[in-house]
């Protein structure tokens, strides 16, 4: 059991269990009506080693104040204005809907959001017409809510109760739950953009780049300039890679531009890493950057910009990566020329044998046979 302390004399005894309005399906929440507010605690799905069934500490949902008391909380007295306002009275009853808590007072009923704990709706009650309020009752089978007075029984209905849930969760920075509550693509884009901006401000730039790539409505130049302004080439590279992977295959122009920009940024980042690779940590970062470049080149192998990428790799001095890119494109001639230009004829002969096994034509052998056999007749 989980001990939960409350103010002495505050226990009302009304305990209700309901499904959580956000979070994983099947999650249950315990609501306990006390004299100071409603204690809400999530029930653990499995009892853990600590033996507790409820998550601690529980949240406290305060009772709402009436509009009259909020307007003049101290009765105009100077001395009373210096004192803290008295706590609002406890309700007669409470009931739960999917996203709200309904409180019943003597002169009104109030709907409070279970997400933000803010008052959503407050309705004064005409006691002279309908009689004094008595209680709220919920039909657990039909999910109907009944409001009882001295003279009548009323059914309380909720329409489109979840229409603004995603905005409430977004205000609380609960991005995953907010995204799950979205119903339109425009809402999803706003949540993704807000999440990406939040990650950027927290310094989690690579994660921010991935979220910005998903938020397609955010202008490309806005994101690129923001990462460039922060001097974070690795984050900008991640953004370009994600955009390239998400770009439709038939949009060849956009894919070509993204591929070239990504390769150029990756090479600039690798050059910086190479200058700082003086210790084990720097060399490990360089190896990771090189592996990332090779993966990027594989993504670019079908783009019609291979000549530009060859030029970039050659001008930056990454010739081994140029050969890997050419081999991924099945540009066997460029691979053999790379090894021959470095006078590594043994590697050229081995690659030539591999390419023949992979289906390369005999014209490749005829073109390089005089050079290779002359340099390595026994290879």
């Amino acid at each position: 059991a989980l001990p939960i302390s409350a103010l002495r004399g505050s226990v009302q005894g009304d305990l209700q269990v309901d499904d959580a309005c956000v979070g994983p399906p099947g999650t249950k929440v315990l609501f306990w009506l006390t004299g100071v507010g409603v204690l809400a605690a999530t029930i653990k799905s499995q009892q853990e080693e600590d033996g507790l069934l409820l998550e601690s500490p529980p949240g406290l949902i305060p009772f709402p104040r009436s509009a009259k008391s909020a307007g003049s909380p101290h009765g105009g007295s100077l001395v009373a204005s210096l004192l803290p306002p008295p706590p609002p009275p406890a309700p007669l009853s409470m009931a739960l809907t999917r996203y709200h808590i309904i409180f019943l007072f003597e002169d009104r009923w109030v709907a409070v959001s279970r997400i933000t704990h803010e008052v959503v709706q407050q309705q004064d009650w005409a006691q002279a017409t309908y009689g004094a309020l008595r209680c709220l009752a919920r039909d657990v089978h039909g999910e109907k809510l009944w409001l009882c007075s001295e003279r009548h029984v009323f059914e309380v209905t909720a329409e489109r109760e979840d229409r603004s849930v995603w905005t409430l969760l977004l205000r609380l920075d609960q991005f995953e739950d907010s995204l799950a509550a979205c119903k339109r693509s425009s809402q999803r884009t706003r949540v993704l953009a807000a999440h990406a901006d939040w990650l950027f401000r927290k310094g989690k730039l690579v994660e921010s780049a991935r979220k910005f790539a998903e938020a397609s409505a955010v202008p490309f130049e806005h994101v690129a300039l923001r990462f460039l302004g922060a001097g974070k080439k690795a984050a900008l590279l991640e953004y370009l890679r994600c955009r390239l992977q998400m770009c439709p295959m038939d949009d060849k122009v956009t894919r070509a531009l993204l591929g070239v920009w990504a390769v150029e940024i990756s090479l600039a980042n690798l050059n910086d890493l190479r200058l700082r690779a003086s210790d084990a940590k720097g060399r490990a970062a360089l190896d990771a950057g090189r592996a990332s470049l090779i993966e990027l080149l594989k993504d670019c192998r079908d783009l019609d910009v291979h000549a530009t990428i060859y030029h970039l790799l050659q001008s930056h001095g990454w010739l081994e990566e140029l050969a890997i890119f050419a081999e991924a494109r099945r540009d066997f001639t460029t691979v053999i020329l790379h090894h021959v230009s470095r006078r590594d004829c043994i590697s050229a002969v081995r690659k030539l044998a591999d390419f023949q096994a992979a289906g390369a034509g005999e014209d490749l052998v005829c073109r390089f046979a005089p050079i290779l056999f002359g340099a390595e007749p026994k290879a």
Side-chain angles (χ1 to χ4, degrees), residues 332-375:
F332 301 138
T333 301
T334 299
V335 178
I336 300 300
L337 283 173
H338 165 73
H339 291 292
V340 170
S341 64
R342 302 183 66 180
R343 297 183 180 180
D344 187 5
C345 294
I346 293 180
S347 297
V349 171
R350 292 173 181 170
K351 284 293 182 182
L352 190 61
D354 294 339
F355 296 158
Q356 279 189 294
E362 295 183 357
D363 55 337
L364 191 65
V365 178
C366 296
R367 178 177 177 179
F368 291 101
I371 300 174
L372 297 179
F373 292 161

Side-chain angles (χ1 to χ4, degrees), residues 18-36:
D18 195 25
D19 293 328
C21 57
V22 294
T27 304
K28 298 290 184 180
V29 180
L30 173 68
F31 294 88
W32 178 18
L33 179 63
T34 72
V36 294

Side-chain angles (χ1 to χ4, degrees), residues 6-49:
L7 294 178
R8 181 172 296 179
S10 66
V11 178
Q12 301 290 96
D14 191 357
L15 292 172
Q16 299 186 31
V17 176
D18 195 25
D19 293 328
C21 57
V22 294
T27 304
K28 298 290 184 180
V29 180
L30 173 68
F31 294 88
W32 178 18
L33 179 63
T34 72
V36 294
V38 177
L39 293 177
T42 302
I43 302 175
K44 296 181 179 179
S45 58
Q46 294 181 351
Q47 188 171 354
E48 300 178 359
E49 295 180 356

